[in-house]
Every structure is written in C-alpha cells, then in structure tokens.
Amino acid sequence: MPCRVTRTTLRSMTHLPPPAEELRILDAELRQLDARRSQLLTRRAWLVAALQQTRQQPRPWASAQSPAAAPPRPETAAPSVQNVLLVLGGVLLTLAAAVFTLVSWGQMGIAGRALVLGAVTLATLAAPVALLKRGLRSTAESVAGLGLALTVLDAYALHAAALSGTDGTGYAAAASAVLAATWSAYGLLPVTSALRLPLPSALAAAQLPLLLSALAADAGPYTITAALLVTAGLDAVAVARLAAGAVRITAVVGAYGMGGWGVLGAGWLSLTAGGPGDASRAGALLLLAAAIALGAAWRGPGIGHALGLAITAGLLVVASLGGVARSGLPSEWVVPAHLAIGVALLATMRAGRLPDAMRTGFAWASGAVQALAVLWTLPVVAVVLLGPAGWLGRVWSGAPSDARAAVLVEAPWPPDAVVAPVVLVGVAAVLALAVRAQAWRPRARLGAAGLLWATALILPAVLEIPYAAGLLVLGVMTAAALFACRVTASAAQVTALVLALVTAAGLTLVSLASQSATLVVLSGLTVLLAAASWRAAVAPFTAPAALVHAAALASASGAAADWPAARTALLVLLVPAAAALLAARLGASRATVPVEAVGAALGLFAVALAVTDPPMLALVLALCGVIAAGTALRAERRAVGYPATALFVLAAWVRLAAWDVGTPEAYTLPVTVPALLVGALRRRRDPRTSSWTAYGAGLTVTLLPSLVTAWADPYWTRPLLLGGAALLVTLLGARHHLQAPLVLGGSVLALVTLHELAPYVVQVTGALPRWAPPALAGLLLLALGATYEQRIRDVRRVREVLGRMN
C-alpha cells in the first residue's frame, strides 16, 4: 500500500471525542489519581509511625550493655515520704518532751517549770494556725498531735509537782475529762477547725472519766458496769448526732467496745447473782444495755446495723428478765422461763410504730432463744434414742420396770429433763401458730411436727410409764409416721419417712430386753413396713427395712426355739428368697435394686450364721446358689449366673471338705466339666471365640492342681491317669487345631513324663563318669551351633503352626 494512501486513510480513521466527553474522561482520571495519592499518603504515615516506635524501643544488646541508661523509677510517692517524715518528727519530739518532763523537770524551780510548760505547749498549739494559713495541712496535723501529747505530759507534770498527794486514779479521771474538754474546744475553734486530730482524740479521752471515777471511788462491780454502759450510751448518742468521718468512727468503736465490756460484766453478774436483789440489779444493767442498743437501732442509718442491734437488744431483754426469774424459780423451770420471755418478744411483730428492722430483729432474737431451748433438750432425746443400744450386749436379760429404765441401760439421765416436753411443745406451738409468712410456713409446720415427734418420743421415759405401755407408744408413733407418708408434699413425706424409720429402730432396740417383746415388735414392724411398701414413693426405703426386720424376726425365732445358729440360717434364707421373688415382681421399679441389695446382704448373713457347721454351710451355700440362679433367669440379671455358679462350686467344696475328701480332682472336676460345656456352647454360637477363652480356664482348674499333686505323689496311678488325660487333651487340640488344649495338654504331658523319668535320669547320671555330663553338654552345644539356623527355621515353623490354630 502506498505511503500517502495509508496516511490519508489513518487521518480519516482518527477518533476525536466531543469536548464534553473528553472532559468527563479527564475528571475520572484525576479522581483515580487523587484516590491513589491518598492510599500512598496513608501508607507513608503508617511506615513513619512504625519507624519511630522501633527507634523508641531499646535494643536488647543496648539494654544489656547499659542498664543504667533508663531513668530510675521512684519507689515511694512524695506524699508518702512527707507523711512518714512528719509522723517520725512528731514522734521524736514527743519522746524528747517526755524525757524532759520525766528527767529534767525536777531540776528547775516552780517559775521555770511553769514558764517552760506554758511556753512550749502554747507555742506548739499555736503553730498549726500559722501552718494552716500557708496551706501546710499535713505539717499542721503533726504539730497538733505533738501539742496534744504535750498537754498529756503537762497533766502528768502538774500531778507530779503540785498535786502529788491526790489520788492517782481520781486525778486521772479529772485530767481525762479536762483534756477531753480542752481538745474539743481546740478542735472547734474557727482557726483550727480544719484539723482532723483533736476531735477524735477528745472523744477517745472522753471514754475514761466515768470508769476511772468509779474505780477511784472504790465502787462495786455494779457501779463499774453501769459506768461502762453509760459511757457506751453517750457514745451511741454521739454516733447518732455526728456526721460520717473520723470522729464518728471513733464514737462507733467506743460504743461497741465499752458496751461490749459492760454487757459481759452485766451478764456475769446475772449468772453469779446470789439472790433476787443481786439478780434484779444485774437485770437492770442488762435492760440499760438493751435500751442503749434499741436507741442506737432506732437512730441507726443502715438496715443491717439496726437489725443487728435489735437482735442484741432482744437477747439482752431475755437475759435480763430470765436472770431475775432464775433467782426465784426451781432450776428445772429456768429454761422454760427464758423461753416464755423469748416468745413474748414476738408480740412486737404487731407493733406498727416500730421500724421493720427492729421488729425483724426481735423476731430473730426470739428464734435464737427458741433454738437454744431446743438445743437444751437434745441430751434427753439422745439418751432416749441411743440409750437402748446397750441392750445389744444384754439381749433378753429381762424386761425393765418402766420406760425410763428401758433407755437407761448405760447412759445417765440428764438433770432437769422433766420439763423437756414442755419446752418442745412450746416451740412447736410457736412454729405452728406464729409463723404466717407463706415462704416459711411449710418449713415451720415440718419443724413443729418434728418437735411434737420428739416430745412423744421422750414422754414415756419422762413420765416413767410401764415398759409395755412405752413399747405401745413407740409402735403407735411408727404407724402414725408411716401413715403420714401418704401426703403428697415431698418434704413432708421425707420427714415422715425418716421419723418412721428412726422410731422403728428405737422400738427394736428397746424390745431387745424381753424375748416376747422382741418377737411381737419385730412381727408388727415387719407387717407395718411391708404394708407401707405398697406406695411406690416410699417403697425403696420401707421394703428393704421390712426385709431387715423379717430377717431379725427369723433370727429371733430360731434363738427362741433354741436352735443353733447354723440351723437358724435356714430360716434367715427365707428372706433372701422372698426378696428375689419380690424383685422379680417389681420389675423396673426404683425399689428393685435396694431390695436385691438387702437380699444379697441377708444371704451373706445366713452364710455367716452357718460357718461353724460345714455340712449346714454347704446346704446354705447351695440354697444361696439356687436363689441366685433363679435371679439369673431374668433377662436383665444374666450376670448373676456367675455368682450362682461360684456358690454351687463352694457348696460342693464345703461338702467334700466335710466328708474329709482330700483328692483335688474331686474339687476341680465339678468346676472343669461345666466350664468346658459352657466353652463348647460359646464356641458353637460364635466360632471366632478363642480357645483360650472357651477352654483355658476349665482345663487349667483341673490340670494344674493335679500336676502339683502328681509331682508329690509317690505312686504311679495319679501320674498315669493325669498323663493319659493330658495326652487326650493334646490329641484333641491337634485334631481340631485348638491352641489352648494343645499347649496346656502338651505342657502337662511333658512335665508328667519328666517327673516319671526323673529317677532313671538320676540313676543314669550317677552311673556316668563325672566328665561325661560336661562332655555331653559340649557336644550338645556344638550340635546346636552347627544346626542353629535350621533350628530357628523349625521353631518359626512351629510358632506359625500354633499361630494358625484357634
């Protein structure tokens, strides 16, 4: 193509967009460039920051070479250093002032002493004013503390110099009052009101005047206790009027400290009061303490604080009035008197003008008093429940005279136990009638039922009713508790069940004193517990209990008939048999496993009874095996077949031992034959079963004991029979390619043969020269070495053949 034609053609084909379209294209290109520029700037900023961070981090080698390059870190803040220095300086100045007062004071005249005291004390107390104006508050507090300490030293110096003839305790009381007033005035001054130390110190000093005044006046313990309580009351007033801060904390500590000591002193005086007058004065002190606690609870800012004080006030009222009542009542009525006062506190629950916290506190105080009263009755209940256990060592020794003698076999009767039923009934009545809250009412009713049960339990012993009547009461209680198990509420049902079982156990123990009582009680309890077992909810507990009582009845019946223990075991075995039948009838019930467990335990008990008579023991073991085999017929209890087999084997062994049979095969063959039959059946069902699993145990049981006996048998009959049996087992193993018979039979056959040929080997060995055995051994080793490789191949071939066997 000619050049000019091409240029002309290209010029005509060039595309020139319109201006508007070209402007749009340029704008798009510029926007893309701006976006790319923003991305690059962001990346640059990130890289710069990363480089700066890397430069700021110390290099490992640099830090290792110059550890002192980093600036030291202060371990203590500047305010802490300042406070330590100020406190230390104040302490040192105080010590110096004390040394000056104690040592150098007597070397100066009256004028010098007064001048030094006045100048130092006034200067020290005036210094905080100037320090506060300059803003040095911490320094001002330290100097103020030094000034307060100097006032104490001034008081001591004044007594030592001018008032040494006065009583030290009285002077201390007056000095503490003056110091408290002085420090309070100093702390309330406008120029020193910013100081936090004077007012708490004044309140701390105010704790001493009343107590020291009482001690100085040689007052009795009642006056000293009153001084403590009055001081605590004043502290309580201060707590109610003061705002939160160090002064109020000091008042709280003083109120609790002085009040606690006062309450302890008043309580001790009430306990050790020798008559109504002393008890009344101690009671008045306790009432004063209660009033202080009640007033503090009324004015208390917090609910928890008010609740605790209200509980304390209620307990103090009970202790006060109870102490007065104790001085004029017989000893057995002291606890009921305290209980009555504690119950009377519940009347405040209806007082609408009292705060809720105070009413709740009085209720808790009443509950605490009732709980302590119930705890006081526990020794009586424990003696009635656990005391009859002493009849286990004196079974059928004779019926006691009354119900109290029936429980006092070895334990003593608690003092003042005659009013224990009154206490229990009173607390039960309060729980049943006074508790109105829906959340607590069901629990209160259960508690009341338990307390009434405890009352009925100890009442026969308290009243000393006849022995038979006491048994009847316990029987009625057991029947009533079992009948109460019919209720639907789970908690009530559990409570009734526990009470029934505990009462039944106590009744059983008490009945052991008399033979007729034992038989009647065990019969009745067996029937009652069996009847209660019809309810599925309680059957897991009552059915095993019925079986246990039935076994006890069987044992007691055998003993009453003068049967030996081994013969009585046959009667006891009736109970495990009944348990097995009952478990089969129950099926998947929750009571099945407990019934079976108790039945198994009673079977062991029967075996223990018959252990002294081997023929009877064999019979008992066989019957136990029958029961176990019957249980194994159930599909879910197939595993019981193993214990059944073991029981049959043990029965056979015991019978053989009773016949004086010493041949081991008589013991082992009854095990081997069933084991081999079971193994054969298993192999028929599952041909992949190993011969060791199917026949190993059965063959071992007979072959090994017979082998041990044959080696010690001097005759030829047993080795011959054992060798023949081992040969037969070996041939059967080889015929059917079974590893276990082949290995066991061959091993026993080889050992029997060695045993039989041993005398001849010994005889031949004795006839040979002494060099012959070593020479034969050397030839053997040479032969083995020459054919070592072939022997290894032969051994491998034998191992492979055995491995292919099952």
Side-chain angles (χ1 to χ4, degrees), residues 481-499:
L482 290 174
F483 181 78
C485 292
R486 299 171 60 87
V487 298
T488 56
S490 59
Q493 191 177 74
V494 171
T495 303
L497 178 61
V498 171
L499 296 181

Side-chain angles (χ1 to χ4, degrees), residues 175-188:
S176 59
V178 172
L179 288 175
T182 304
W183 293 348
S184 300
Y186 181 70
L188 294 174

Side-chain angles (χ1 to χ4, degrees), residues 117-184:
L117 276 176
V120 173
T121 304
L122 291 177
T124 306
L125 293 176
V129 178
L131 294 174
L132 288 174
K133 290 181 179 180
R134 295 191 176 186
L136 302 176
R137 183 170 180 174
S138 299
T139 307
E141 292 285 353
S142 299
V143 176
L146 176 61
L148 298 181
L150 286 176
T151 56
V152 177
L153 294 176
D154 291 343
Y156 167 76
L158 180 61
H159 179 268
L163 302 175
S164 58
T166 60
D167 178 58
T169 306
Y171 178 80
S176 59
V178 172
L179 288 175
T182 304
W183 293 348
S184 300

Side-chain angles (χ1 to χ4, degrees), residues 223-282:
T223 305
I224 295 175
T225 304
L228 290 172
L229 292 176
V230 170
T231 305
L234 295 175
D235 289 332
V237 173
V239 170
R241 291 182 175 275
L242 293 173
V247 183
R248 193 173 186 276
I249 293 175
T250 305
V252 170
V253 173
Y256 279 109
M258 304 300 284
W261 282 109
V263 168
L264 290 177
W268 177 255
L269 292 175
S270 179
L271 289 175
T272 58
D278 294 340
S280 300
R281 287 190 291 172

